[in-house]
Amino acid sequence: MEEDGEEDYMSDLFIKQDVRPGLPMMRRMKETIQKEEKQKEANEKNRQKSIKEEEKERRDLVLKSALGTENKGFALLQKMGYKSGQALGKSGEGIVEPIPLNIKTGRSGLGHEELKKRKAEEKLENYRQKLHMKKQANEQAADQFRIRFKNKQEERKMEGDLRKSQRACQQLDMQKGIDVPKETWFWLEPEEEEKDEEDEEDECTSSDISVSEKLHILTAYLREEHFYCIWCGTTYEDSEDLSSNCPGDSAADHD
């Protein structure tokens, strides 16, 4: 027979015990939190109220209570026929509740709150203006980027049209027996060919002309000299055939 001091590990009391891991720790934490809340409530009850708090409570209590017959102003109103809860005025269009009191509790001077409010509104307005200006600057930057990108694309297209015109001019000039171009930039120059000082001077002179101007001059030369339109890709018989059948002398006219 087992001794009385020993626990029976097969008994119902031992089996029903909750032995989940971490449970004792959670129970202790819960008890600690409950104790802290009770202590906080007790401290709040035992805490002595400050003079300002007591004054505020007394003032709120007085303001919430209705005026009695002992009030001289209320007594005068009653003598003139006023009844409690009735609106002021001969026809009852006036106010029912008294004008509320705005009691100043701080030490700031009169108008300080209005000044503070006005400064806050000005600060907010300045912030809004900065955001608006920043938005406008971003929009302007985006518009400028789009314009630059569009101009870059148009410039690349004109450069391609110019090379196309130079290639056609060189071919048509050589077919006509012209060995030297009218202008040095009328033909495409070989990249591997070395340039002498005269070529460099001509290049400097031609570089003063923009790509669009070069394209306009060269296409006009092709139309007048060879009756050729790069936009149509066609060589016409004569100037009359060119003027009557070609839409124009620019890419916009052919679009």
Side-chain angles (χ1 to χ4, degrees), residues 154-155 158-159 162 185 209-219 231:
E154 292 177 353
E155 185 177 354
M158 284 191 294
E159 289 175 353
L162 178 61
W185 53 270
I209 307 174
S210 64
V211 176
S212 60
E213 291 174 339
K214 285 182 179 181
L215 182 61
H216 178 71
I217 294 171
L218 187 53
T219 51
W231 318 116

Side-chain angles (χ1 to χ4, degrees), residues 24-228:
M25 178 64 70
M26 293 175 63
R27 188 181 294 113
R28 285 197 295 271
M29 291 176 62
K30 187 176 180 181
E31 292 175 354
T32 303
I33 293 172
Q34 290 177 351
K35 288 181 181 179
E36 290 178 353
E37 290 178 352
K38 290 180 180 179
Q39 185 65 34
K40 186 177 180 181
E41 291 177 0
N43 293 338
E44 192 69 23
K45 290 179 180 179
N46 296 330
R47 185 177 67 87
Q48 292 184 352
K49 296 179 181 179
S50 62
I51 298 175
K52 289 185 178 180
E53 290 176 341
E54 292 178 354
E55 289 179 352
K56 185 177 183 302
E57 288 181 357
R58 288 196 299 268
R59 182 170 60 248
D60 293 340
L61 182 62
V62 172
L63 291 175
K64 287 179 181 179
S65 59
L67 294 175
T69 55
E70 70 279 359
N71 185 275
K72 294 183 179 180
F74 187 74
L76 289 173
L77 286 174
Q78 283 184 325
K79 288 181 180 180
M80 290 185 289
Y82 174 78
K83 295 180 181 180
S84 181
Q86 181 182 355
L88 298 177
K90 186 177 181 180
S91 56
E93 72 278 2
I95 61 173
V96 178
E97 296 293 333
I99 298 174
L101 295 176
N102 294 324
I103 299 175
K104 188 175 181 301
T105 57
R107 295 186 177 182
S108 57
L110 294 175
H112 177 74
E113 293 298 327
E114 291 295 329
L115 178 63
K116 188 176 179 182
K117 183 179 178 181
R118 187 169 67 252
K119 286 184 177 180
E121 291 176 352
E122 291 176 354
K123 187 176 180 181
L124 180 61
E125 184 63 24
N126 292 334
Y127 177 72
R128 289 175 178 171
Q129 290 181 357
K130 287 181 180 179
L131 286 180
H132 182 65
M133 293 174 63
K134 186 177 181 181
K135 184 180 178 181
Q136 285 185 336
N138 291 337
E139 290 176 354
Q140 290 178 359
D143 291 340
Q144 291 175 359
F145 173 78
R146 283 192 290 268
I147 293 171
R148 288 197 301 269
F149 184 75
K150 184 179 179 181
N151 293 339
K152 194 70 176 179
Q153 284 185 322
E154 292 177 353
E155 185 177 354
R156 289 178 180 175
K157 187 177 183 302
M158 284 191 294
E159 289 175 353
D161 292 338
L162 178 61
R163 287 193 296 269
K164 181 180 176 182
S165 302
Q166 289 172 328
R167 197 176 295 109
C169 181
Q170 184 175 1
Q171 183 178 358
L172 292 172
D173 282 349
M174 293 179 69
Q175 288 177 359
K176 207 170 182 179
I178 301 175
D179 297 332
V180 179
K182 185 176 181 181
E183 297 289 343
T184 55
W185 53 270
F186 273 24
W187 291 6
L188 286 173
E189 297 182 4
E191 295 180 358
E192 64 275 4
E193 184 178 353
E194 295 182 359
K195 301 177 182 179
D196 53 16
E197 295 180 358
E198 184 177 353
D199 294 336
E200 291 179 359
E201 291 178 0
D202 293 340
E203 183 181 359
C204 292
T205 304
S206 63
S207 62
D208 296 337
I209 307 174
S210 64
V211 176
S212 60
E213 291 174 339
K214 285 182 179 181
L215 182 61
H216 178 71
I217 294 171
L218 187 53
T219 51
Y221 170 79
L222 290 172
R223 292 173 67 86
E224 294 172 2
E225 185 68 24
H226 301 290
F227 312 116
Y228 177 77

